[in-house]
């Protein structure tokens, strides 16, 4: 036992997270690891802010997307044939193709100046908000499960289950106004919560992986809704079409601005949900547990937090939120149950949550952005003849650029705030300089 | 090859990690860089290895100035580095790992034969006993480290940088490594050795440079007294022993009866442990790592519900309770590995300080956290426990190892305790913080709390213990007094019981050989 000869009570340095600590000498008053530039210049603070980064990502995506639009536009291609005779023709057509496509996107998503009255002009914005509503709900559900370390990709199934329950209560029970709507909401949330909770329960009790459980339960839900729509209880009287009766008026979420707009109170509920989830994650004991389990299950366990119970709780909550997405579809937008009631909201919700960095308000804005693309994409196609696939490509590019900050930083040569002073990362920060020295 | 640093300065923003460091490593010598955690040792190594560019100053190899744009260039210039955390692909064989990054190919297929030959050559020459075809993840840590050294040697490194190489090794492996280092030196290589373990530094170094807060404090010969080195490191005289009075026993007891635990794989990790700890005393559990100490503490904390036996604290059986209940009933626990079990790295310092108390009345009201209370608690704890940080809302991962440990200790010691269980309370902690943490533990004992310390460092065991319990293969080999000779403790840690040893030794071990001197 050689350590018995050691002279000092100096323990072996097992210094896991301390890798970043070496450069950070223990100066007593002003700890250096907090450094960064002493007083960051205004330009630095501006260029390193996340907002600038997002705008830069948007610009990068619009440019690349614009190029795609240009090179798939028939008029541009025709003019390219005589590019060397009159290049201005090509550029003119290219500019026209790209700008008109983007103008159409904007007009379809936010504000249409060609509208005859105010209602028509503002209509696109309300459409954006309508489409964003289920995305925000489901995105929040996905976000909270991400925060607790679960890769919940089962929002699609949870939305469908929420929609089935909400729809059934909506068209087959006939109740007074307020009670009916409340029951629809509660039922829809429960449907989603059960579907999500099932994943949490199975993971907690058997250790099965949540990704597989989610994928399979998505299939089950999808085929379940297709099946129930073939049963008489869900079909319209005298019809065999896979479409349910319309839900009672008493079960519908009231429209927010009258019947000229589809926008309904679900959007307000979605904002409330953002506030609630934001409080839950950051300021409640439940959220503390959930985040602790998400970032270090071992330490959480040692601190007496029941990790497996946490999985169930978070999946129930996530399922409930996704169930609300189903409710807003059934009770607010569609008013009937079809096999396509969830569209691809459950999958888009994953992107929305990722884009929003799993933060409640981030998810909210990401949901709005996605809603805008959805609404504007239709206009882009109908008004300018841009291929719908190109529309989707442009959407995906924007998401891609936003999701890959280092790429955007590299393109626009923006500084990375997380790479100053932290020696662990300074290595990368010094790389460009080193490259230039070569 | 001679390595020379001339007033090398490395700044990160406003923070100077290395402040005009001068250092000369003569060919064929072992030069040790000694310093506390956070003194700037690793930064300096990364500057030499080309990972960082120095802000000012020059690096000279054999008198010629060099500038490295990256580790690749440093390697080609003859500098090799063995990182503290190995840079090996676990599922690759030794040869594949060594070849990685410089693979020789035949057409499109990999030609490992040459690499194998070089590995055998080097292995034979230095007695490494490394099989080029062994898969790395199957190898013991000590051998993996030799693979790292081989990696550097295959690339013809003349200067080897070893970053805290002994941190992960058992005492036996450490001795082997020190022998290998001596051999490499005799072969003409220059070694730059980073450590803060004074014993091995003195054992192997030809020259020692002490660095503190980024500056060179001095260069001394290895014959210097360890107390002198330690005080150079921390900048004041270090109290290497812990001042404590004789224990004042209370009536409260913590007693373990016939505690056994079989692991999921069917191995008996705890075998009929009986242990009593009285209020106001520290019982230190000594033993080589992996002899059941970890499982013992975890079982006390309710993390192994399958254990059998009884764990009674003040008349209450803890076994069968949930971890939460055990914590709430007043058991403080400093886990062995703070980064895994003690802290949530992505959480702020203030959140980590209430990690197991966030739902108590003090820090929550109904479902809502009382953030004001959490913040003021953090400010108080940071001041009381000398946690050096910028803001309590910073992530705990930004702290140095010693300060992270202080966060754990602060959390566990700052509430009324009925029992304190601390596993490796000062592992990876700099000398100054060790002293502080030890004082705190003794203060808890003086407050009448039964204290169980698990440590693989005998110095720590001797410094703290009122009685010493020795574990071997999950069994308690005996409980002895704090004045037991080190040799006897060593024999018990190797599997001899206290009774056997006393029977063999006719006269009782009354001679106090260890406690008086600065252990």
């Amino acid at each position: 036992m050689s350590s018995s000869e050691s002279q000092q009570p100096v323990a072996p340095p097992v210094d896991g997270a301390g890798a970043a600590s070496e450069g950070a000498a223990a100066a007593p008053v002003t700890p250096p690891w907090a450094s960064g530039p002493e007083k960051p210049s205004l330009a630095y603070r501006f260029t390193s802010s996340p907002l600038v980064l997002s705008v830069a990502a948007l610009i990068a995506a619009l440019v690349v997307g614009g190029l795609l639009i240009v090179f798939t536009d028939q008029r541009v291609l025709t003019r390219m044939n005589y590019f060397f005779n009159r290049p201005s023709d090509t550029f003119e057509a290219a500019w026209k193709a790209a700008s008109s496509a983007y103008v159409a996107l904007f007009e379809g998503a936010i504000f249409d100046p060609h509208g005859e009255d105010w209602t028509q002009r503002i209509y696109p914005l309300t459409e954006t908000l309508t489409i964003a509503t289920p995305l925000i709900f489901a995105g929040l559900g996905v976000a909270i499960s991400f925060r607790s370390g679960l890769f919940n990709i089962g929002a699609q199934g949870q939305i469908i289950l929420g929609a089935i329950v909400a729809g059934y209560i909506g068209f087959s029970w006939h109740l007074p106004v307020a009670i009916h709507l409340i029951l629809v909401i509660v039922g829809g949330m429960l449907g989603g919560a059960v579907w999500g909770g099932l994943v949490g329960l199975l993971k907690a009790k058997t250790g099965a992986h949540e990704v597989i459980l989610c994928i399979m339960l998505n299939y089950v839900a999808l085929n379940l809704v297709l099946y129930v729509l073939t049963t008489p209880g869900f079909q319209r009287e005298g019809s065999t079409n896979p479409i349910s009766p319309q839900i009672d008026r008493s079960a519908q979420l009231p429209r927010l601005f009258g019947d000229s707009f589809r926008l309904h109170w679900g959007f307000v509920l979605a904002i409330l949900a953002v506030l609630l989830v934001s409080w839950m994650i950051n300021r409640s004991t439940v959220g503390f547990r959930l985040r602790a389990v998400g970032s270090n299950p071992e330490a959480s366990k040692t601190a007496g937090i029941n990790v497996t119970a946490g999985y169930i709780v978070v999946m129930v909550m996530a399922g409930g939120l996704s169930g609300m997405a189903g409710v807003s579809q059934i009770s607010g937008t569609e008013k009937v149950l079809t096999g396509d009631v969830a569209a691809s909201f459950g999958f888009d919700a994953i992107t929305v949550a990722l884009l929003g960095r799993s933060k409640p308000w981030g998810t909210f804005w990401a949901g709005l952005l996605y809603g805008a693309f959805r609404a504007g994409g239709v206009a882009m196609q109908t008004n300018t003849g841009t291929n719908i696939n190109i529309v989707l490509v442009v959407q995906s590019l924007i998401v891609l650029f936003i999701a890959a900050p280092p790429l955007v930083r590299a393109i626009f040569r923006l500084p990375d705030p997380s790479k100053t002073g932290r020696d662990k990362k300074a290595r990368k920060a010094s790389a460009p300089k080193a490259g230039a020295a070569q | 090859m001679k390595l020379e640093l001339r007033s090398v300065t490395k700044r990160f923003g406003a923070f100077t990690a290395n402040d005009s460091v001068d250092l000369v490593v003569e060919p064929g010598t072992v030069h040790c860089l000694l310093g506390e955690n956070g003194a700037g040792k690793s930064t300096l190594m990364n500057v030499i290895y080309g990972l960082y560019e120095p802000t000012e100053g020059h690096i000279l190899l054999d008198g010629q100035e060099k500038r490295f744009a990256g580790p690749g260039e440093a390697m080609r210039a003859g500098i090799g580095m063995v990182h503290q955390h190995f840079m090996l692909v676990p599922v690759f064989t030794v040869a594949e790992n060594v070849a990685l990054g410089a693979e020789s190919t035949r057409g499109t297929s990999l030609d490992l034969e040459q690499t194998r030959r070089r590995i055998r050559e080097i292995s034979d020459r230095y007695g490494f006993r490394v099989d080029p075809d062994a898969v790395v993840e199957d190898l013991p840590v000590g051998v993996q480290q030799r693979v790292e050294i081989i990696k550097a040697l295959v690339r013809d490194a003349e200067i080897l940088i070893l970053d805290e190489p002994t941190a992960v090794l058992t005492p036996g492996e450490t001795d082997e490594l020190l022998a290998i280092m001596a051999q490499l030196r005799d072969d003409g290589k220059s070694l730059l050795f980073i450590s803060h373990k004074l014993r091995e530094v003195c054992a192997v170094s030809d020259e020692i440079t002490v660095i503190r807060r980024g500056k060179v404090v001095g260069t001394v010969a290895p014959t210097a007294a360890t107390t002198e080195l330690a005080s150079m490191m921390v900048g004041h005289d270090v109290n290497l022993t812990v001042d404590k009075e004789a224990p004042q026993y209370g009536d409260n007891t913590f007693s373990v009866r016939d505690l056994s635990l079989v692991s999921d794989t069917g191995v008996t990790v705890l075998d009929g442990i009986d242990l009593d700890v009285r209020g106001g005393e520290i019982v230190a559990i000594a033993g080589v790592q992996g002899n059941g100490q970890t499982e013992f503490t975890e079982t006390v904390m309710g993390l192994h519900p399958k254990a059998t036996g009884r764990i009674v604290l003040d008349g209450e059986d803890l076994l069968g309770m949930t971890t939460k209940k055990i914590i709430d009933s007043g058991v403080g626990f400093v886990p062995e590995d703070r980064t895994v079990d003690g802290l949530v790295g992505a959480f702020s310092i203030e959140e980590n300080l209430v990690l197991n108390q966030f739902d108590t009345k003090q820090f929550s009201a109904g479902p809502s956290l009382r953030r004001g209370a959490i913040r003021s608690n953090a400010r108080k704890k940071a001041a009381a426990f000398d946690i050096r940080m910028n803001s309590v809302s910073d992530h705990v991962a930004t702290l140095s190892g010693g300060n992270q440990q202080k966060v754990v200790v602060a959390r566990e010691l700052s509430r009324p305790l009925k029992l304190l269980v601390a596993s490796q309370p000062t592992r990876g902690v700099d000398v100054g913080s060790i002293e502080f943490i030890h004082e705190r533990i003794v203060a808890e004992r003086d407050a009448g709390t039964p204290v169980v310390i698990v440590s693989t460092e005998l110095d720590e065991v001797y410094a703290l213990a009122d009685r010493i319990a020795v574990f071997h293969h999950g069994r308690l080999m005996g409980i002895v007094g704090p004045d037991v000779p080190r040799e006897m403790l060593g024999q018990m840690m190797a599997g001899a019981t206290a009774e056997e040893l006393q029977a063999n030794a006719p006269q009782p071990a009354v001679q106090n050989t260890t406690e008086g001197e600065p252990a």
Side-chain angles (χ1 to χ4, degrees):
Chain A
M1 186 59 216
S2 57
S3 77
S4 60
E5 298 147 21
S6 80
Q7 305 262 309
Q8 314 293 340
V10 182
V14 175
D15 210 356
S21 68
E22 271 295 329
V29 189
T30 46
W33 51 85
S35 58
E38 197 165 20
K39 269 191 185 155
S41 69
L42 193 64
Y44 173 85
R45 274 186 295 175
F46 176 73
T47 51
S48 64
S49 86
L51 185 67
V52 169
L53 193 67
S54 299
V55 172
L58 206 61
I59 293 171
L62 291 179
V63 169
V64 178
L67 289 175
L68 275 171
I69 293 169
V70 165
F71 284 106
T72 52
D73 187 274
Q74 206 48 51
R75 275 160 300 187
V76 179
L77 293 178
T78 347
R79 280 164 185 75
M80 262 187 203
N81 288 335
Y82 57 93
F83 179 80
F84 290 104
N85 296 333
R86 284 180 64 187
S88 61
D89 265 20
T90 309
F91 288 123
E92 206 175 301
W95 172 251
K96 198 158 171 276
S99 61
S100 65
Y102 284 135
V103 167
L105 182 69
F106 178 84
E107 289 176 358
I110 298 176
F111 184 76
D112 182 5
H114 311 301
E116 280 167 21
D117 53 11
W118 191 241
T119 309
Q120 282 189 11
R121 273 173 244 155
I122 203 72
Y123 183 79
L125 181 63
T126 65
E127 269 307 281
T128 294
L129 300 185
T130 310
I131 300 172
T133 302
L135 283 171
I136 293 168
F137 276 124
L140 287 173
V142 175
I144 59 167
S145 34
F146 283 177
R147 289 298 281 276
S148 60
L150 288 175
F151 201 72
N152 165 24
I153 56 169
Q156 187 76 6
Q158 293 149 21
I159 295 173
I160 292 175
L161 256 287
I164 293 177
V165 177
Y168 186 78
I169 296 174
F171 62 72
S172 68
W173 297 4
H174 306 289
L175 298 161
V177 177
I179 300 169
H180 201 177
L181 181 59
I182 290 170
L183 276 180
V184 165
I185 290 174
V186 171
M189 286 181 78
L190 275 180
V194 165
W195 217 240
L198 199 57
V199 173
L201 187 74
L202 285 172
K203 182 179 174 73
K205 294 294 170 201
T206 68
H209 200 285
E210 73 272 10
V211 168
I212 297 171
L213 293 169
C214 283
I215 294 175
M216 291 305 142
L217 285 177
N218 280 347
Y219 282 127
V220 173
L222 182 61
N223 289 297
L224 188 67
V225 70
L226 294 177
Y227 166 74
V228 297
L229 286 171
T230 65
T231 59
F234 277 83
Q235 281 173 343
R236 296 181 179 188
E237 220 162 299
S239 159
T240 54
N241 289 333
I243 183 165
S244 78
Q246 185 154 23
I247 60 167
D248 288 7
R249 192 140 187 101
S250 55
Q252 293 178 10
L253 283 161
R255 297 233 152 116
L256 207 46
F257 302 119
D259 281 339
S260 343
F261 303 108
R262 292 204 300 162
L263 188 61
H264 50 80
W265 276 87
F267 182 69
V268 177
L269 292 182
I271 294 176
L272 288 179
V274 174
L275 290 170
L276 192 70
V277 167
S278 178
W279 173 83
M280 192 277 292
I281 288 186
N282 295 315
R283 290 173 177 264
S284 77
T285 51
V286 176
F288 189 97
R289 269 190 208 105
L290 175 159
R291 284 184 292 129
V293 169
S295 17
N296 188 345
E298 293 301 320
S300 306
K301 214 169 135 188
T302 309
I305 296 170
N306 189 335
V307 174
T308 50
Y311 289 149
I312 301 175
V313 169
V314 77
M315 283 309 296
V316 166
M317 290 194 295
L321 284 163
S322 293
M324 268 311 290
V327 171
S328 80
Q329 277 295 90
I330 285 288
S331 194
T333 319
E334 304 286 338
K335 309 203 168 64
V336 292
L337 179 67
T338 65
D340 199 30
V341 68
S344 63
F345 288 124
F347 300 114
D348 295 344
I350 301 168
T351 323
V352 165
L354 285 174
L355 260 182
R357 286 160 220 259
S358 300
K359 298 203 163 80
W361 281 106
T363 305
F364 176 78
W365 294 114
L368 286 192
L369 182 72
Y370 234 73
F373 284 147
R374 281 291 196 85
V378 179
M380 200 163 158
Q381 185 184 21
T382 49
N383 295 358
T384 65
T386 311
N387 189 311
I388 186 69
N389 296 316
I390 291 297
V391 176
L392 291 173
V393 167
V394 174
Q395 287 182 15
S396 308
L397 277 174
I398 296 178
V399 174
L400 189 149
F401 277 113
I402 291 178
L407 181 61
V408 177
R409 282 200 194 97
I411 293 173
F412 292 93
R413 302 190 181 274
L414 297 173
D416 182 351
S418 65
K419 283 183 187 168
T420 42
R422 299 275 163 73
D423 42 351
K424 202 184 209 169
K425 288 173 181 167
R427 168 188 167 184
K428 286 176 204 152
S430 67
K433 270 184 278 167
Q438 273 180 330
Chain B
M1 200 180 274
K2 179 176 168 182
L3 171 72
E4 213 177 332
L5 302 187
R6 286 199 193 145
S7 55
V8 167
T9 300
K10 177 67 192 171
R11 288 196 195 92
F12 296 110
F15 164 55
T16 308
N18 296 132
D19 191 355
S20 58
V21 171
D22 292 304
L23 186 76
V24 182
V25 184
E26 298 289 346
T29 61
V30 176
H31 193 111
C32 178
L33 200 61
L34 186 68
E36 276 192 290
N37 281 333
K41 293 169 298 187
S42 291
T43 308
L44 192 62
M45 293 308 99
N46 288 335
V47 167
I48 298 172
Y49 197 49
L51 284 167
Y52 296 159
E53 204 182 2
T55 318
E56 283 160 34
H58 311 281
I59 302 170
L60 285 78
L61 285 181
D62 281 339
Q64 267 190 310
E65 192 179 337
K66 297 275 177 190
R67 272 189 175 271
F68 305 129
E73 285 186 23
M75 259 189 264
R76 277 191 291 281
I79 298 176
M81 181 146 171
V82 176
H83 294 270
Q84 185 179 353
H85 304 283
F86 303 149
M87 307 288 173
L88 298 170
V89 184
V91 294
F92 276 17
T93 66
V94 171
E96 284 167 340
N97 264 296
V98 170
L100 195 64
E103 308 89 350
S104 52
T105 49
R106 199 172 30 211
T108 53
S109 63
L110 200 57
D111 180 17
L112 282 178
E113 205 36 60
Q114 204 188 339
T115 312
R116 283 202 193 90
R117 210 169 48 239
R118 288 295 316 268
I119 294 172
R120 281 196 207 97
E121 258 170 47
I122 292 167
S123 184
D124 290 346
R125 183 147 155 217
Y126 298 108
F128 281 173
R129 298 191 307 274
V130 173
D131 173 12
D133 293 313
V135 176
V136 162
E137 64 184 348
D138 299 337
L139 297 173
V141 174
V143 181
Q144 291 191 16
Q145 189 168 54
R146 278 180 240 157
V147 175
E148 282 278 15
I149 296 174
I150 290 174
K151 247 168 81 178
L153 294 178
V154 162
R155 287 164 175 73
D156 300 315
E158 287 301 314
I159 298 170
L160 259 183
I161 304 172
L162 300 148
D163 190 1
E164 309 220 359
T166 57
V168 290
L169 301 183
T170 63
E173 285 173 330
T174 301
D175 289 343
E176 282 180 44
L177 176 72
L178 296 185
I180 286 171
M181 286 171 65
Q183 226 179 339
L184 288 167
R185 168 187 57 197
D186 296 343
D187 215 35
K189 312 268 184 206
S190 319
L191 281 85
L192 190 52
F193 169 47
I194 305 172
S195 184
H196 57 216
K197 285 170 122 180
L198 299 171
R199 179 186 74 94
E200 53 204 41
V201 165
C202 291
V204 76
S205 303
D206 299 302
E207 229 178 345
I208 301 169
T209 295
V210 183
I211 177 168
R212 186 170 82 231
R213 287 189 200 149
K215 283 190 184 143
V216 172
V217 183
T219 300
V220 291
T223 47
T226 48
T227 42
E228 187 195 332
L229 286 174
S231 55
M232 280 174 86
M233 270 165 76
V234 294
H236 59 84
D237 287 328
V238 187
N239 186 358
L240 289 167
T241 54
V242 180
D243 289 325
K244 57 180 167 67
E245 310 288 319
Q248 302 287 319
Y249 296 114
D251 298 332
N252 47 336
T253 54
F254 168 64
S255 69
V256 174
R257 286 285 167 274
D258 196 29
L259 186 68
S260 296
L261 175 68
V262 179
S263 76
D264 292 337
T265 49
V267 181
T268 304
V269 283
L270 290 176
D271 190 359
I273 303 283
D274 288 306
L275 183 69
D276 283 293
V277 186
R278 295 168 67 184
E281 75 164 340
I282 298 176
V283 170
I285 297 177
V288 179
Q289 180 97 50
N291 275 281
Q293 308 99 308
T294 310
E295 288 80 4
F296 177 77
T297 57
E298 287 173 354
T299 307
V300 171
M301 293 313 295
L303 293 166
H304 293 291
K306 283 181 199 153
T308 58
R310 276 162 63 76
I311 303 171
V312 182
L313 176 64
D314 292 350
E316 231 183 334
D317 197 343
L318 297 184
L319 201 63
M321 279 195 198
T322 61
T323 306
K324 171 114 199 89
K325 268 199 172 152
I326 293 171
I327 291 168
D328 288 348
S329 69
V331 182
F333 179 46
V334 178
E336 182 180 302
D337 189 338
R338 61 178 163 270
T339 55
V340 175
D341 296 315
L343 298 168
V344 177
F347 269 26
S348 61
I349 296 159
E350 55 185 359
E351 285 175 320
N352 271 293
L353 279 166
V354 295
L355 195 61
N356 53 14
Q357 296 145 49
F358 67 94
D359 51 359
T360 57
K361 279 229 167 57
Q362 194 188 346
F363 300 118
S364 65
S368 186
L369 292 172
R370 295 175 59 190
R371 311 237 298 183
I374 291 173
R375 176 144 301 183
S376 62
N377 168 68
R379 296 229 168 91
K380 261 186 277 167
K381 299 289 156 62
F385 285 82
D386 189 29
I387 300 166
R388 291 170 188 180
M389 49 164 196
N390 188 35
S391 152
V392 289
S393 56
D394 283 352
H395 286 183
V396 80
T398 62
L399 296 181
S400 69
N403 281 302
Q404 289 184 2
Q405 188 72 5
K406 282 187 204 164
V407 171
V408 178
V409 172
R411 179 180 71 216
E412 301 302 326
L413 286 187
S414 53
R415 59 196 171 108
L417 289 184
K418 286 189 191 161
L419 170 70
L420 172 66
V421 179
S423 201
Q424 310 289 3
T426 57
R427 173 176 282 180
V429 169
D430 53 86
V431 179
S433 306
I434 289 176
E435 194 185 337
F436 184 82
I437 292 171
H438 280 175
E439 278 168 13
R440 286 289 171 155
I441 291 172
V442 171
E444 188 64 40
R445 152 211 189 243
D446 291 344
T449 310
V451 177
V452 178
I453 300 290
V454 171
S455 182
T456 50
E457 293 287 311
L458 282 188
D459 298 298
E460 179 159 86
V461 169
Y462 276 116
L464 290 174
D466 296 312
R467 289 187 298 148
I468 303 172
V470 183
F471 272 42
H472 176 73
H473 284 295
R475 283 172 48 209
L476 188 61
M477 304 318 290
I479 300 173
V480 290
D483 49 1
V484 64
R486 274 169 188 258
E487 302 76 60
M488 186 171 156
L489 217 47
Q491 282 171 310
M492 286 171 74
M493 285 161 74
T497 63
E499 291 82 31
E500 282 166 25
L501 292 170
Q502 258 145 19
N504 292 345
Q507 76 278 32
V510 281
Q511 198 63 37
N512 182 346
T513 51
T514 41
E515 231 208 350
E517 59 192 62

